[in-house]
């Protein structure tokens, strides 16, 4: 159990989940719209898809290492629920592996056939992921709020920041803040040291706008 009355801000997880819902949901259409043989455009879409797959892997690894063990130890009546979450992770990781495997060939020689296989793989990933995220938000976040300390919850964010390439952090933060309301944005930025917070609000924000406009501009 947590040792103080202060509870973690579990809504941070919902804010992050929006990125995966929004961006992974858009990938199939981005892929299908790439003209046959348009290798430069396939490179842009493929880089974005790879970025999302890597980000989701990091996100889930953080939960595997820093969340499920705590809930298994402390939320005994909900052990079966936590195990369901772990099983869903395994299924999503199988989807991730399939999408990763299809991306390089499509990027080298984009055509309708390989594009459709890749788009379908991302649709399957999206379907399995949304099922998992819905249940996690509904059933797991209340348990985390009750049984995980603020410091322990913070390790999830630390894992994500430490595992991601520094050059990709402005893109991920930009994606996180895109659909966040002002209060959510302020809370997410408050997790960063002041100099990095300023960077993310200025240079980092411009980097994200350029990046996402390129990704969506050719769709």
């Amino acid at each position: 159990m947590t040792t103080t009355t202060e509870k973690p801000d579990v809504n941070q997880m919902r804010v992050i989940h929006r990125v995966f819902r929004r961006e992974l949901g858009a990938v199939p259409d981005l892929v299908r719209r790439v003209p046959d043989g348009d290798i430069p455009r396939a490179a842009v879409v493929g880089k974005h898809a790879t970025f999302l797959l890597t980000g989701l892997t990091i996100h889930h690894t953080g939960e595997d290492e820093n969340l499920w063990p705590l809930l298994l130890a402390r939320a005994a009546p909900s052990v079966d629920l936590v195990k369901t979450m772990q099983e869903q992770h395994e299924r999503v990781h199988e989807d991730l592996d399939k999408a990763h495997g299809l991306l390089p060939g499509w990027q080298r020689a984009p055509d309708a056939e390989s594009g459709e296989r890749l788009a379908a793989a991302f649709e399957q990933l999206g379907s399995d992921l949304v099922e998992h995220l819905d249940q996690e938000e509904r059933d797991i976040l209340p348990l985390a709020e009750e049984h995980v300390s603020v410091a322990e919850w913070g390790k999830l964010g630390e894992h994500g920041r430490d595992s991601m390439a520094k050059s990709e952090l402005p893109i991920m933060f930009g994606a996180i803040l895109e659909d966040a309301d002002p209060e959510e944005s302020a809370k997410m930025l408050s997790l960063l040291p002041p100099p990095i917070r300023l960077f993310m609000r200025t240079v980092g924000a411009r980097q994200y706008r350029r990046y996402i406009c390129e990704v969506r501009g050719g769709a």
Side-chain angles (χ1 to χ4, degrees):
M1 297 289 289
T2 53
T3 56
T4 71
T5 57
E6 189 178 6
K7 294 183 181 295
D9 179 13
V10 298
N11 190 58
Q12 294 168 1
M13 189 76 78
R14 295 187 183 93
V15 176
I16 293 169
H17 285 176
R18 288 179 203 151
V19 176
F20 297 119
R21 293 177 190 272
R22 183 186 69 236
E23 298 301 328
L24 286 172
V27 167
D29 187 56
L30 290 172
V31 168
R32 290 186 174 113
R33 287 175 175 265
V34 173
D36 288 2
D38 191 342
I39 294 175
R41 178 61 187 163
V44 172
V45 173
K47 179 182 178 182
H48 183 57
T50 300
F51 168 72
L52 296 172
L53 296 177
T54 301
L56 180 57
T57 299
I58 290 171
H59 178 68
H60 276 187
T61 301
E63 292 178 338
D64 292 339
E65 296 177 359
N66 297 296
L67 183 57
W68 307 144
L70 295 178
L71 294 182
L72 285 171
R74 299 173 185 176
S78 301
V79 163
D80 287 344
L81 173 60
V82 177
K83 289 181 177 178
T84 295
M85 294 289 101
Q86 293 174 313
E87 291 167 359
Q88 290 177 352
H89 268 201
E90 291 176 5
R91 186 163 68 248
V92 168
H93 289 168
E94 291 174 1
D95 296 337
L96 283 164
D97 288 342
K98 183 174 182 179
H100 265 302
L102 291 171
L103 265 168
W106 175 77
Q107 287 181 267
R108 286 192 300 268
D111 59 27
E113 184 177 351
S114 61
E116 186 56 37
R117 287 196 298 270
L118 181 60
F122 270 91
E123 285 175 337
Q124 184 61 58
L125 168 61
S127 176
D128 289 337
L129 180 63
V130 167
E131 177 187 0
H132 170 69
L133 298 182
D134 284 349
Q135 187 168 11
E136 183 171 290
E137 291 172 4
R138 181 180 65 248
D139 299 328
I140 291 295
L141 293 189
L143 289 178
E145 189 174 38
E146 182 67 25
H147 296 286
V148 177
S149 72
V150 172
E152 289 165 341
W153 183 258
K155 289 182 180 179
L156 289 167
E158 292 171 9
H159 171 87
R161 293 191 294 274
D162 292 345
S163 301
M164 186 164 287
K166 292 188 185 302
S167 62
E168 293 181 329
L169 286 174
I171 308 304
M172 181 54 76
F173 255 91
I176 289 170
L177 298 179
E178 181 173 336
D179 288 337
D181 65 32
E183 181 179 359
E184 290 169 339
S185 295
K187 287 182 177 179
M188 297 301 291
L189 287 167
S190 72
L191 302 174
L192 304 173
I196 299 177
R197 190 185 314 156
L198 177 62
F199 176 86
M200 291 298 180
R201 295 172 73 173
T202 54
V203 177
R206 291 193 292 272
Q207 289 179 359
Y208 176 70
R209 285 196 296 272
R210 287 194 299 268
Y211 170 88
I212 204 64
C213 285
E214 183 181 27
V215 168
R216 296 171 182 167

